[in-house]
Amino acid sequence: MLNKGFGNWIHRRRVKSAQHPALIHAGVTLSYAELAERIDKLSDALRERGISRGSRVAFLGTNHAAFLETMFAVTQLGALFVPLNVRLAPRELNFALRDSGSELLIYLTSFASEAQLAVPDSPVTETLEVAAVPGADSSYERALLGGGGQHEDVPVALEDPAIILYTSGTTGTPKGAVLTHENMTWNSYNVIVDYDVTSKSVALLIAPLFHVAAMGMGALPILLKGGTLVLQERFEPAAVLEAVERYQITQLSGVPTTFQLLAEHENWNGTDLSSLQMLTCGGSAVPLRVLEAYESRGLGFSGGYGLTETAPGTTLLQASHSRTKMGSAGLPHFFTDVRIADAQGQQLPPGEVGEILISGPNVIHEYWQRPEATQGAFHEGTWFRSGDIGYVDDEGFLYISDRLKDMIISGGENIYPAEVEQAIMGLAEIESVAVIGVPDDKWGEVPRAVVVLKSGRELGEHDIVEHLNGRLARYKIPRTTVFLAELPRTASGKIRKAELRKKYS
């Protein structure tokens, strides 16, 4: 075959796993043969609309079979897929459409108004609307059914661009990370090797596919191995627990809050969890109380660290190390290298804190039409500068200290907010927390906690200080606390610390 890219995977998988279920969504099951046929028909319909090698096609929507059909149909043609974050405002969506040069937009009907507001003054010349229920009548479905369905073997190389994913843009305008077929392929290899994904794996995807974690760590590796994906459009604890039991889910990924809410749900004790083999928690370390709740059911967590620019897997902490290496992000993935460097890019020895640099075939080569940003993102042209700071221990396990820009320097001492935040999250009353630096005449900066309490809970500043006494050095303990109803977040869910510093420092 001429097509070496991941867009051709379902066509290849059709031969080996024709009748095996590939996708389950909203009560509809698609086998690999059925999914491959729909992808070929959509590819043909897109070709008729002028989409070809190098074209850009955007998708706006939550987890849906159409997301994956579009991704494979677009990349099968050698075109670029541009998934859009549904939490973005129409103005931000319009920026992504204009910046990427997307010619066609496919969107779920629930985001019709956002799509209509985002398209004007963009390069988009045609839109297709997807019905909520897979296969139901819509302009998308009519276009797909009108396609010839003959598979075309388009020449696509591994180094060709496949996806443009926009960063959350906490400062300035978002940048489009260009992920190649090589990036996504090697990341999938990393996942398959390190997580033991098999053709019998059944993964429940509750994290949004428009984020690289669900796409790169969940969907692509499972489909490459011939497993089954169960899609849910949003996180609802009751629905997740029901799906785990109904579909005999083997793999579930989420953030600490996801797993906390599941363990606190009234159906938790009555749900059969015996099929679960792998729980993966990202975003931050698993709080001890959540870890213990799952251990009581015979379950453990793997964790890790990654970035959009690394497709996204960088390190993995196996469940067997969740206690002995608590707080660690784990070891580098099999085909990925990590090192800690000083300001000049020189490698530092174990135990010394510096910037985390990453290299490997899963790392991007460029930002979309941002040559200066691309140049500044790499050391010596090959080591990606993560902007995160951390250290490795004597065994090579990575520990994340914080974002470089978020570090607080108090009286000459470095304070890493992530460490303080993790300690504060040990309080059962806390829903979320961010620690920022505020000016201080004596010390230069001191930490301040910005806290959101769980509904109906009460907690005072004194309680937080008492909890941290003996757990953290005195200079790390927040001098003051601000209580809010919610924390400001980016469209991808990251806390806007710059906004917090502006308002509360």
PDB file of all heavy atoms in Angstrom, residues 23-24 29 34 47 159 193 201 208 221 227 245 271 287 308 317 391 437 485 489 494 500-501:
ATOM      1  N   LEU A  23     -16.606   0.245  17.404  1.00  0.00           N
ATOM      2  CA  LEU A  23     -17.177   1.375  18.136  1.00  0.00           C
ATOM      3  C   LEU A  23     -18.554   1.030  18.673  1.00  0.00           C
ATOM      4  O   LEU A  23     -19.349   0.374  17.998  1.00  0.00           O
ATOM      5  CB  LEU A  23     -17.323   2.599  17.215  1.00  0.00           C
ATOM      6  CG  LEU A  23     -16.082   3.271  16.651  1.00  0.00           C
ATOM      7  CD1 LEU A  23     -16.510   4.445  15.781  1.00  0.00           C
ATOM      8  CD2 LEU A  23     -15.183   3.741  17.763  1.00  0.00           C
ATOM      9  N   ILE A  24     -18.815   1.501  19.886  1.00  0.00           N
ATOM     10  CA  ILE A  24     -20.160   1.440  20.455  1.00  0.00           C
ATOM     11  C   ILE A  24     -20.488   2.837  20.947  1.00  0.00           C
ATOM     12  O   ILE A  24     -19.776   3.399  21.777  1.00  0.00           O
ATOM     13  CB  ILE A  24     -20.242   0.431  21.615  1.00  0.00           C
ATOM     14  CG1 ILE A  24     -19.857  -0.972  21.154  1.00  0.00           C
ATOM     15  CG2 ILE A  24     -21.643   0.428  22.216  1.00  0.00           C
ATOM     16  CD1 ILE A  24     -19.755  -1.982  22.288  1.00  0.00           C
ATOM     17  N   THR A  29     -23.657  -0.133  17.455  1.00  0.00           N
ATOM     18  CA  THR A  29     -22.365  -0.809  17.366  1.00  0.00           C
ATOM     19  C   THR A  29     -21.924  -0.885  15.907  1.00  0.00           C
ATOM     20  O   THR A  29     -22.709  -1.282  15.034  1.00  0.00           O
ATOM     21  CB  THR A  29     -22.443  -2.237  17.948  1.00  0.00           C
ATOM     22  OG1 THR A  29     -22.824  -2.167  19.320  1.00  0.00           O
ATOM     23  CG2 THR A  29     -21.100  -2.942  17.835  1.00  0.00           C
ATOM     24  N   GLU A  34     -17.879  -2.448   9.016  1.00  0.00           N
ATOM     25  CA  GLU A  34     -18.853  -1.359   8.840  1.00  0.00           C
ATOM     26  C   GLU A  34     -18.191   0.001   8.992  1.00  0.00           C
ATOM     27  O   GLU A  34     -18.489   0.938   8.223  1.00  0.00           O
ATOM     28  CB  GLU A  34     -19.972  -1.515   9.871  1.00  0.00           C
ATOM     29  CG  GLU A  34     -20.865  -2.726   9.619  1.00  0.00           C
ATOM     30  CD  GLU A  34     -21.774  -3.043  10.784  1.00  0.00           C
ATOM     31  OE1 GLU A  34     -21.409  -2.740  11.944  1.00  0.00           O
ATOM     32  OE2 GLU A  34     -22.866  -3.603  10.542  1.00  0.00           O
ATOM     33  N   ARG A  47     -13.706  14.004  -1.017  1.00  0.00           N
ATOM     34  CA  ARG A  47     -12.936  14.192  -2.251  1.00  0.00           C
ATOM     35  C   ARG A  47     -13.768  14.921  -3.290  1.00  0.00           C
ATOM     36  O   ARG A  47     -13.268  15.819  -3.994  1.00  0.00           O
ATOM     37  CB  ARG A  47     -12.479  12.831  -2.774  1.00  0.00           C
ATOM     38  CG  ARG A  47     -11.456  12.906  -3.904  1.00  0.00           C
ATOM     39  CD  ARG A  47     -11.135  11.524  -4.467  1.00  0.00           C
ATOM     40  NE  ARG A  47     -10.645  10.614  -3.452  1.00  0.00           N
ATOM     41  CZ  ARG A  47     -11.332   9.567  -2.996  1.00  0.00           C
ATOM     42  NH1 ARG A  47     -12.554   9.310  -3.457  1.00  0.00           N
ATOM     43  NH2 ARG A  47     -10.813   8.777  -2.082  1.00  0.00           N
ATOM     44  N   GLU A 159       6.005  10.892   7.795  1.00  0.00           N
ATOM     45  CA  GLU A 159       6.402  12.244   8.190  1.00  0.00           C
ATOM     46  C   GLU A 159       5.410  13.321   7.748  1.00  0.00           C
ATOM     47  O   GLU A 159       5.567  14.506   8.081  1.00  0.00           O
ATOM     48  CB  GLU A 159       7.787  12.584   7.647  1.00  0.00           C
ATOM     49  CG  GLU A 159       7.927  12.512   6.136  1.00  0.00           C
ATOM     50  CD  GLU A 159       8.410  11.163   5.638  1.00  0.00           C
ATOM     51  OE1 GLU A 159       8.206  10.162   6.357  1.00  0.00           O
ATOM     52  OE2 GLU A 159       8.983  11.115   4.530  1.00  0.00           O
ATOM     53  N   VAL A 193       2.903  -1.026  23.953  1.00  0.00           N
ATOM     54  CA  VAL A 193       4.006  -1.694  24.644  1.00  0.00           C
ATOM     55  C   VAL A 193       3.888  -1.539  26.156  1.00  0.00           C
ATOM     56  O   VAL A 193       4.003  -2.506  26.912  1.00  0.00           O
ATOM     57  CB  VAL A 193       5.368  -1.141  24.162  1.00  0.00           C
ATOM     58  CG1 VAL A 193       6.500  -1.653  25.044  1.00  0.00           C
ATOM     59  CG2 VAL A 193       5.626  -1.533  22.713  1.00  0.00           C
ATOM     60  N   SER A 201      -9.129  -5.724  24.485  1.00  0.00           N
ATOM     61  CA  SER A 201      -9.322  -4.527  25.299  1.00  0.00           C
ATOM     62  C   SER A 201     -10.627  -3.835  24.921  1.00  0.00           C
ATOM     63  O   SER A 201     -10.967  -3.721  23.733  1.00  0.00           O
ATOM     64  CB  SER A 201      -8.153  -3.559  25.115  1.00  0.00           C
ATOM     65  OG  SER A 201      -6.941  -4.123  25.581  1.00  0.00           O
ATOM     66  N   PRO A 208     -12.856  13.982  26.386  1.00  0.00           N
ATOM     67  CA  PRO A 208     -13.182  14.415  25.024  1.00  0.00           C
ATOM     68  C   PRO A 208     -12.105  14.053  24.005  1.00  0.00           C
ATOM     69  O   PRO A 208     -10.917  14.249  24.237  1.00  0.00           O
ATOM     70  CB  PRO A 208     -13.322  15.939  25.154  1.00  0.00           C
ATOM     71  CG  PRO A 208     -12.586  16.299  26.400  1.00  0.00           C
ATOM     72  CD  PRO A 208     -12.705  15.119  27.312  1.00  0.00           C
ATOM     73  N   PRO A 221      -4.557   3.719  19.847  1.00  0.00           N
ATOM     74  CA  PRO A 221      -3.944   2.430  20.194  1.00  0.00           C
ATOM     75  C   PRO A 221      -4.944   1.277  20.239  1.00  0.00           C
ATOM     76  O   PRO A 221      -4.640   0.163  19.795  1.00  0.00           O
ATOM     77  CB  PRO A 221      -3.337   2.687  21.586  1.00  0.00           C
ATOM     78  CG  PRO A 221      -3.159   4.160  21.662  1.00  0.00           C
ATOM     79  CD  PRO A 221      -4.297   4.729  20.884  1.00  0.00           C
ATOM     80  N   GLY A 227      -9.140  -3.606  19.244  1.00  0.00           N
ATOM     81  CA  GLY A 227     -10.017  -3.653  20.402  1.00  0.00           C
ATOM     82  C   GLY A 227     -11.315  -2.905  20.144  1.00  0.00           C
ATOM     83  O   GLY A 227     -11.655  -2.594  18.997  1.00  0.00           O
ATOM     84  N   GLU A 245     -20.123  -2.147  33.743  1.00  0.00           N
ATOM     85  CA  GLU A 245     -20.727  -3.462  33.985  1.00  0.00           C
ATOM     86  C   GLU A 245     -21.343  -4.034  32.712  1.00  0.00           C
ATOM     87  O   GLU A 245     -21.171  -5.226  32.401  1.00  0.00           O
ATOM     88  CB  GLU A 245     -21.786  -3.339  35.078  1.00  0.00           C
ATOM     89  CG  GLU A 245     -22.381  -4.661  35.519  1.00  0.00           C
ATOM     90  CD  GLU A 245     -23.230  -4.512  36.776  1.00  0.00           C
ATOM     91  OE1 GLU A 245     -22.661  -4.273  37.851  1.00  0.00           O
ATOM     92  OE2 GLU A 245     -24.466  -4.638  36.655  1.00  0.00           O
ATOM     93  N   THR A 271     -21.788  -1.933  41.898  1.00  0.00           N
ATOM     94  CA  THR A 271     -21.381  -2.132  40.506  1.00  0.00           C
ATOM     95  C   THR A 271     -20.285  -3.189  40.408  1.00  0.00           C
ATOM     96  O   THR A 271     -19.317  -3.176  41.166  1.00  0.00           O
ATOM     97  CB  THR A 271     -20.861  -0.815  39.900  1.00  0.00           C
ATOM     98  OG1 THR A 271     -21.900   0.170  39.941  1.00  0.00           O
ATOM     99  CG2 THR A 271     -20.435  -1.012  38.453  1.00  0.00           C
ATOM    100  N   PRO A 287      -5.027  11.687  44.709  1.00  0.00           N
ATOM    101  CA  PRO A 287      -5.062  11.892  46.162  1.00  0.00           C
ATOM    102  C   PRO A 287      -5.138  10.556  46.894  1.00  0.00           C
ATOM    103  O   PRO A 287      -5.759   9.602  46.401  1.00  0.00           O
ATOM    104  CB  PRO A 287      -6.336  12.722  46.371  1.00  0.00           C
ATOM    105  CG  PRO A 287      -6.566  13.395  45.059  1.00  0.00           C
ATOM    106  CD  PRO A 287      -6.095  12.418  44.021  1.00  0.00           C
ATOM    107  N   THR A 308       0.402  18.000  24.553  1.00  0.00           N
ATOM    108  CA  THR A 308      -0.101  17.977  23.181  1.00  0.00           C
ATOM    109  C   THR A 308       1.045  17.748  22.210  1.00  0.00           C
ATOM    110  O   THR A 308       0.929  16.984  21.249  1.00  0.00           O
ATOM    111  CB  THR A 308      -0.809  19.306  22.854  1.00  0.00           C
ATOM    112  OG1 THR A 308      -1.912  19.491  23.735  1.00  0.00           O
ATOM    113  CG2 THR A 308      -1.298  19.320  21.412  1.00  0.00           C
ATOM    114  N   LEU A 317       3.736   5.871  34.922  1.00  0.00           N
ATOM    115  CA  LEU A 317       3.931   5.282  36.243  1.00  0.00           C
ATOM    116  C   LEU A 317       3.015   4.076  36.342  1.00  0.00           C
ATOM    117  O   LEU A 317       1.784   4.207  36.380  1.00  0.00           O
ATOM    118  CB  LEU A 317       3.605   6.284  37.355  1.00  0.00           C
ATOM    119  CG  LEU A 317       3.849   5.761  38.779  1.00  0.00           C
ATOM    120  CD1 LEU A 317       5.347   5.651  39.051  1.00  0.00           C
ATOM    121  CD2 LEU A 317       3.193   6.653  39.821  1.00  0.00           C
ATOM    122  N   TYR A 391      12.478  16.853  38.299  1.00  0.00           N
ATOM    123  CA  TYR A 391      13.743  16.166  38.512  1.00  0.00           C
ATOM    124  C   TYR A 391      13.529  14.668  38.354  1.00  0.00           C
ATOM    125  O   TYR A 391      12.390  14.181  38.353  1.00  0.00           O
ATOM    126  CB  TYR A 391      14.312  16.468  39.904  1.00  0.00           C
ATOM    127  CG  TYR A 391      13.462  15.964  41.049  1.00  0.00           C
ATOM    128  CD1 TYR A 391      13.692  14.720  41.629  1.00  0.00           C
ATOM    129  CD2 TYR A 391      12.413  16.733  41.549  1.00  0.00           C
ATOM    130  CE1 TYR A 391      12.900  14.253  42.667  1.00  0.00           C
ATOM    131  CE2 TYR A 391      11.616  16.277  42.591  1.00  0.00           C
ATOM    132  CZ  TYR A 391      11.865  15.030  43.148  1.00  0.00           C
ATOM    133  OH  TYR A 391      11.077  14.566  44.163  1.00  0.00           O
ATOM    134  N   GLY A 437       1.834  33.068  43.731  1.00  0.00           N
ATOM    135  CA  GLY A 437       2.738  33.921  44.492  1.00  0.00           C
ATOM    136  C   GLY A 437       2.216  35.338  44.570  1.00  0.00           C
ATOM    137  O   GLY A 437       1.683  35.859  43.591  1.00  0.00           O
ATOM    138  N   ALA A 485     -16.144  30.413  44.556  1.00  0.00           N
ATOM    139  CA  ALA A 485     -17.171  29.434  44.170  1.00  0.00           C
ATOM    140  C   ALA A 485     -16.648  28.510  43.083  1.00  0.00           C
ATOM    141  O   ALA A 485     -17.034  27.340  42.993  1.00  0.00           O
ATOM    142  CB  ALA A 485     -18.429  30.148  43.688  1.00  0.00           C
ATOM    143  N   ARG A 489     -10.955  28.750  34.363  1.00  0.00           N
ATOM    144  CA  ARG A 489     -10.246  27.707  33.617  1.00  0.00           C
ATOM    145  C   ARG A 489     -10.232  28.014  32.125  1.00  0.00           C
ATOM    146  O   ARG A 489     -11.081  28.742  31.621  1.00  0.00           O
ATOM    147  CB  ARG A 489     -10.897  26.330  33.852  1.00  0.00           C
ATOM    148  CG  ARG A 489     -10.824  25.865  35.306  1.00  0.00           C
ATOM    149  CD  ARG A 489     -11.482  24.504  35.489  1.00  0.00           C
ATOM    150  NE  ARG A 489     -11.469  24.079  36.883  1.00  0.00           N
ATOM    151  CZ  ARG A 489     -10.477  23.388  37.449  1.00  0.00           C
ATOM    152  NH1 ARG A 489      -9.426  23.030  36.712  1.00  0.00           N
ATOM    153  NH2 ARG A 489     -10.528  23.041  38.716  1.00  0.00           N
ATOM    154  N   LYS A 494      -7.685  23.733  32.128  1.00  0.00           N
ATOM    155  CA  LYS A 494      -6.546  24.153  32.947  1.00  0.00           C
ATOM    156  C   LYS A 494      -6.891  25.427  33.711  1.00  0.00           C
ATOM    157  O   LYS A 494      -7.575  26.311  33.202  1.00  0.00           O
ATOM    158  CB  LYS A 494      -5.321  24.403  32.053  1.00  0.00           C
ATOM    159  CG  LYS A 494      -4.806  23.167  31.340  1.00  0.00           C
ATOM    160  CD  LYS A 494      -3.631  23.524  30.448  1.00  0.00           C
ATOM    161  CE  LYS A 494      -3.140  22.309  29.676  1.00  0.00           C
ATOM    162  NZ  LYS A 494      -2.047  22.668  28.745  1.00  0.00           N
ATOM    163  N   LEU A 500      -5.726  34.489  38.026  1.00  0.00           N
ATOM    164  CA  LEU A 500      -5.760  34.496  39.490  1.00  0.00           C
ATOM    165  C   LEU A 500      -4.715  35.457  40.053  1.00  0.00           C
ATOM    166  O   LEU A 500      -4.981  36.190  41.012  1.00  0.00           O
ATOM    167  CB  LEU A 500      -5.520  33.086  40.030  1.00  0.00           C
ATOM    168  CG  LEU A 500      -6.630  32.067  39.807  1.00  0.00           C
ATOM    169  CD1 LEU A 500      -6.218  30.709  40.331  1.00  0.00           C
ATOM    170  CD2 LEU A 500      -7.924  32.522  40.473  1.00  0.00           C
ATOM    171  N   ARG A 501      -3.523  35.436  39.452  1.00  0.00           N
ATOM    172  CA  ARG A 501      -2.476  36.357  39.924  1.00  0.00           C
ATOM    173  C   ARG A 501      -2.874  37.815  39.730  1.00  0.00           C
ATOM    174  O   ARG A 501      -2.620  38.679  40.570  1.00  0.00           O
ATOM    175  CB  ARG A 501      -1.157  36.060  39.202  1.00  0.00           C
ATOM    176  CG  ARG A 501      -0.427  34.827  39.717  1.00  0.00           C
ATOM    177  CD  ARG A 501       0.976  34.736  39.165  1.00  0.00           C
ATOM    178  NE  ARG A 501       0.967  34.393  37.746  1.00  0.00           N
ATOM    179  CZ  ARG A 501       1.080  33.155  37.279  1.00  0.00           C
ATOM    180  NH1 ARG A 501       1.189  32.144  38.110  1.00  0.00           N
ATOM    181  NH2 ARG A 501       1.085  32.940  35.996  1.00  0.00           N
TER     182      ARG A 501
END
